[in-house]
Amino acid sequence: DTPGQIEAFTWSASGNIITDALASTLPTVIIYVIDTPRCAENALTFSSNMLHACSILYKTRLPMVLAFNKADVQSAERPRAWMADYLTFDAALTASDESSGGGTFASSFARSLALALDEFYHHLSPVEVSALTGEGFPDLLSAIDHARSEYYAYYKPELDRRRASRDSQRAANQEEQLRKFRNDRDSDQAPRPASRSTANAALHSNADVNSDEDSEMERALLEEFKESFALKKSTAAQQRTPSSRRT
């Protein structure tokens, strides 16, 4: 009766964790409680409740029991008849359309939904109970026992299969991580070729050596040029000097 509890528990990640943890160790059954007076008065409300119950069933993948509560106020005979016979539900929708002045999109959708959920109804155990008076609780306990048998017959093998698949996937991921670790370790221990930075440093070192050799050669050529120029200058000076005077 608390707004948002079903949504928070069913569709949140924590709800799945709790139901999976319970179902993996103990027989687990979903009891979907329905407000009987509201569903019995309006076929559209009944249809929306069935859609919600179906979505929870396929979300949890666990046996489900439909508990029509407030049986002391109104009987669940009409909703149970709608679940058993589509024509009865269609007649109720037609009567609702006539009273409201014509068919609506919601009515058309409810008809299509009822046809789709017809198979879904055959796998549910509807019971009438009263939380106030305790009426119908023996039937509820009997339905829970039947759902417990379904748990062991159909749902437990599926849970075991999913758990084995999950464990196998986890083991494969661990093995892949271990393989990557070993490859990284082996690559770190193996001798590595010279890196690009080392090669560049060697090239720069060779370039510096070559540059020093070029500088030495340039200095030698310059000294040789200076000596040659000085010799030519001295010779030219001697040739310009006047001859000694005749005695």
Side-chain angles (χ1 to χ4, degrees):
D1 291 335
T2 303
Q5 283 292 329
I6 292 179
E7 289 77 6
F9 185 79
T10 304
W11 304 114
S12 65
S14 59
N16 289 336
I17 293 174
I18 293 173
T19 54
D20 289 345
L22 291 175
S24 63
T25 56
L26 298 170
T28 307
V29 179
I30 302 296
I31 302 178
Y32 187 82
V33 184
I34 301 173
D35 192 336
T36 305
R38 291 182 178 273
C39 286
E41 292 174 359
N42 193 323
L44 292 178
T45 304
F46 164 81
S47 181
S48 63
N49 270 273
M50 293 300 103
L51 178 61
H52 201 178
C54 179
S55 62
I56 292 176
L57 175 66
Y58 284 101
K59 178 69 174 180
T60 59
R61 300 182 184 180
L62 292 171
M64 175 178 285
V65 175
L66 294 182
F68 287 93
N69 194 24
K70 302 181 181 179
D72 57 307
V73 177
Q74 185 170 353
S75 173
E77 182 179 355
R78 293 185 65 187
R80 297 182 70 171
W82 292 340
M83 293 177 62
D85 186 10
Y86 168 77
L87 295 179
T88 304
F89 177 74
D90 182 70
L93 280 178
T94 302
S96 177
D97 293 341
E98 292 176 353
S99 62
S100 62
T104 61
F105 171 77
S107 298
S108 177
F109 176 73
R111 287 186 174 87
S112 301
L113 184 62
L115 289 173
L117 296 179
D118 184 64
E119 185 66 21
F120 164 74
Y121 295 149
H122 295 297
H123 298 279
L124 294 179
S125 301
V127 294
E128 298 182 43
V129 296
S130 173
L132 181 63
T133 64
E135 177 185 351
F137 266 84
D139 296 335
L140 177 61
L141 295 178
S142 177
I144 292 175
D145 288 338
H146 179 70
R148 181 175 181 271
S149 301
E150 290 184 353
Y151 168 85
Y152 282 114
Y154 304 106
Y155 292 88
K156 187 63 164 60
E158 175 64 16
L159 290 174
D160 293 340
R161 186 194 64 79
R162 284 189 290 164
R163 181 190 301 174
S165 177
R166 184 168 57 250
D167 294 342
S168 176
Q169 183 64 33
R170 185 183 295 112
N173 293 338
Q174 292 176 353
E175 184 65 25
E176 179 65 18
Q177 293 177 2
L178 182 60
R179 186 188 64 80
K180 291 181 179 180
F181 170 76
R182 289 172 177 171
N183 291 339
D184 294 340
R185 182 194 59 186
D186 295 341
S187 62
D188 291 338
Q189 294 177 354
R192 294 184 177 181
S195 61
R196 179 177 296 179
S197 59
T198 306
N200 291 336
L203 291 176
H204 287 307
S205 178
N206 294 335
D208 294 339
V209 173
N210 295 335
S211 177
D212 294 340
E213 293 178 355
D214 294 341
S215 299
E216 291 292 336
M217 185 177 296
E218 290 176 357
R219 283 194 293 269
L221 291 175
L222 182 61
E223 292 295 332
E224 184 178 353
F225 174 76
K226 287 180 179 180
E227 292 177 359
S228 177
F229 180 78
L231 180 61
K232 291 181 180 180
K233 185 177 181 181
S234 175
T235 303
Q238 291 178 1
Q239 292 178 353
R240 289 197 301 270
T241 302
S243 301
S244 56
R245 296 179 179 178
R246 296 178 181 180
T247 56

